[in-house]
Amino acid sequence: MAINGVWTLGQDLGWARVLVHLPDTGAQTRQAKYHVINTDSTSPARSVQQRAGRWVSLGAFHFTGRPAVMLSNVTDDGTADEDIAWGSVAFQPLPGKPKNVVVAMGDSYSSGEGASEGDRDYYPETNYRSKLDDNARNACHRSTQAWSRQATMPGASQSIGQLDDSLDPSMDYHLIACSGARTYNVLPKDVGADSALSKGESQNGEEPQIDKGYLDQNTTLVTISIGGNDSRFSQIVQKCLLSVGNGSCQHETFDKTDDSVNGRDKPFVGQPLETAIPGLMNQVVRPDITRVLKEIHKGAQNAKIVLMGYPPLISDKGSCLNIGFSGMAIGLSETSSAWLDDTADTLALAMQGAADDAKASGINVWFSDPKSDFAGKGVCGDPEQVHGIVKTLTQSDEPIKDWPLINQYGLSAQSFHPKIGGARLYANALERTMAGMSL
């Protein structure tokens, strides 16, 4: 039952951008693997989420023979209940290698979670939920307003997103970050034989980010935020919201392990969050981030990497959150707010350490800290550039999965994530870092 469809161009090309058109019906798989043939790319196979319903770029390639693309109906996750579509393929001739080949990876803070007016700015295939099949849900929430798209490369006259949208010959850009990602959702599945360490895992039905294939020898820049979910960001926020009437959440107990880290978090079970979370960040998350940076470098050895930190979430001592909400027994005390800020600083130090560890092994990596950009502009700030509690749900929001401890209150995944203006602040931090990277 296997079918391989091949498109072959009727002429030779040197450098060209390859695009595939995805119809709005009969295209459902999240792991369509397109193989670009007769190219010198070290990663000619690119994975695409087919529900996109538009033209999607596979990337810019240098062809060494007649350009062709092959797509099979066989995928790693195939169970014969989703359709795969062979639409059109386009080749855009380029004058040479694009000046900037950028891949944006990571978690919700990179995908653009929250940087959307409701559903408006999310790519629809990453904000999808089926009434008939829970497994078809995709809540990666990649936004056209993500900070990697809002930023402008040094010397450029337009933003990365503008250059990408116009198919500018100087830009080859791919946003593959996914809301909720942990380090093992970035790592490849065949990451090594050490059974004590995590292996790459799929997320939202998509392949692990490195396995999507967008890193190769031509990649010039990789941006990534990762480590927040590994540090149990969601669990911490929920416990803090629930403890509003009991002082600070730092005294709450760490009680939920992650099977995918193979027991490395078990020593912290039963400890108060104030000791468990810093321990987890330094002993588990930091080396896991370093491992991700090393795997990125393996796939893109000529790329420079920006590891982006996280903003201080709360401003003005969380004053707008410590008053409670109508019909809701959740909120944020002043002491919890202060502890959350301290915890953000602890994670920033662990991330800087992870970047330093990777740099010591010869990897070109920079840590970018957006703390100063968000000063006074977190939740309850003026202007507030990070969402507080958001009750309006997007198409793919599912509170029982996104916020299990407080699911009865129906929070959107956009809660406690940067708004569009917050993504702009992130872009400022990236631009500041890029200015010193000799890009």
Side-chain angles (χ1 to χ4, degrees):
M1 294 175 66
I3 299 170
N4 294 331
V6 181
W7 298 262
T8 304
L9 190 65
Q11 65 184 83
D12 291 334
L13 293 173
W15 277 93
R17 190 190 321 270
V18 181
L19 302 103
V20 294
H21 185 265
L22 303 171
D24 58 7
T25 56
Q28 299 157 359
T29 179
R30 286 159 282 179
Q31 296 190 17
K33 186 76 82 172
Y34 292 85
H35 297 261
V36 182
I37 300 171
N38 292 326
T39 172
D40 59 8
S41 171
T42 53
S43 181
R46 307 289 169 99
S47 184
V48 171
Q49 219 280 50
Q50 276 212 330
R51 291 191 191 274
R54 63 179 186 281
W55 286 99
V56 172
S57 171
L58 301 181
F61 296 87
H62 177 247
F63 287 96
T64 56
R66 186 59 56 95
V69 178
M70 188 273 284
L71 174 65
S72 171
N73 66 336
V74 178
T75 64
D76 288 345
D77 69 331
T79 52
D81 55 0
E82 287 189 328
D83 286 342
I84 193 165
W86 289 265
S88 299
V89 167
F91 298 86
Q92 177 196 4
L94 299 173
K97 177 188 172 183
K99 179 181 179 182
N100 299 297
V101 181
V102 183
V103 181
M105 311 177 75
D107 56 21
S108 55
Y109 280 74
S110 287
S111 71
E113 177 73 77
S116 176
E117 290 293 337
D119 297 308
R120 185 192 70 186
D121 300 298
Y122 291 141
Y123 291 103
E125 72 275 16
T126 71
N127 182 33
Y128 177 82
R129 187 177 174 196
S130 170
K131 296 178 180 178
L132 302 176
D133 182 5
D134 285 343
N135 293 326
R137 180 188 185 224
N138 188 311
C140 281
H141 288 167
R142 299 184 188 111
S143 172
T144 59
Q145 302 293 331
W147 51 265
S148 59
R149 285 178 51 84
Q150 290 199 47
T152 300
M153 299 292 298
S157 59
Q158 292 182 298
S159 71
I160 292 173
Q162 289 171 319
L163 294 174
D164 175 48
D165 292 343
S166 64
L167 302 179
D168 190 282
S170 70
M171 177 60 65
D172 180 16
Y173 168 84
H174 303 279
L175 175 60
I176 60 174
C178 183
S179 183
R182 301 193 181 195
T183 49
Y184 51 77
N185 299 125
V186 178
L187 294 169
K189 288 183 177 179
D190 60 345
V191 73
D194 191 336
S195 60
L197 298 177
S198 305
K199 297 189 182 300
E201 294 184 15
S202 299
Q203 182 193 10
N204 280 292
E206 299 185 4
E207 292 180 278
Q209 292 175 32
I210 289 177
D211 283 344
K212 286 174 176 287
Y214 290 92
L215 301 175
D216 71 2
Q217 81 274 25
N218 298 313
T219 309
T220 59
L221 175 67
V222 176
T223 65
I224 184 170
S225 62
I226 200 72
N229 294 310
D230 299 77
S231 303
R232 316 302 159 85
F233 161 75
S234 173
Q235 182 183 358
I236 293 170
V237 169
Q238 291 176 84
K239 283 181 175 286
C240 288
L241 289 173
L242 285 169
S243 66
V244 63
N246 302 317
S248 177
C249 54
Q250 69 194 79
H251 305 302
E252 296 292 325
T253 303
F254 181 83
D255 55 7
K256 186 172 176 56
T257 58
D258 181 350
D259 292 342
S260 295
V261 302
N262 298 327
R264 290 179 293 139
D265 54 356
K266 286 184 178 178
F268 308 107
V269 173
Q271 294 185 20
L273 294 181
E274 63 181 334
T275 58
I277 298 304
L280 182 72
M281 289 174 175
N282 289 304
Q283 296 177 41
V284 179
V285 179
R286 173 175 170 169
D288 282 357
I289 294 174
T290 301
R291 192 161 168 248
V292 164
L293 297 174
K294 289 181 177 179
E295 288 298 321
I296 290 173
H297 177 68
K298 280 184 185 179
Q301 296 198 357
N302 299 316
K304 297 179 178 180
I305 305 171
V306 175
L307 176 63
M308 181 62 75
Y310 297 91
L313 278 182
I314 312 298
S315 297
D316 194 27
K317 301 178 181 179
S319 58
C320 66
L321 295 174
N322 63 26
I323 56 175
F325 296 85
S326 176
M328 300 167 63
I330 58 174
L332 197 65
S333 69
E334 187 173 317
T335 49
S336 289
S337 173
W339 179 72
L340 283 173
D341 278 348
D342 291 342
T343 302
D345 290 339
T346 302
L347 180 55
L349 287 173
M351 295 179 74
Q352 177 69 70
D356 292 341
D357 296 341
K359 190 174 291 186
S361 64
I363 298 173
N364 285 321
V365 58
W366 283 257
F367 176 63
S368 183
D369 191 350
K371 181 175 180 178
S372 61
D373 301 273
F374 281 85
K377 299 173 184 175
V379 180
C380 307
D382 184 18
E384 184 184 72
Q385 298 292 11
V386 179
H387 290 288
I389 289 177
V390 179
K391 294 272 289 176
T392 303
L393 301 183
T394 65
Q395 289 182 17
S396 60
D397 276 335
E398 199 166 356
I400 196 168
K401 292 182 179 179
D402 299 330
W403 304 99
L405 299 182
I406 53 174
N407 70 82
Q408 67 270 33
Y409 299 114
L411 270 62
S412 167
Q414 291 193 329
S415 302
F416 301 100
H417 284 87
K419 303 177 180 180
I420 293 174
R424 178 62 250 178
L425 297 178
Y426 252 132
N428 294 343
L430 177 61
E431 291 174 357
R432 190 170 60 247
T433 299
M434 290 193 297
M437 291 173 61
S438 300
L439 287 167

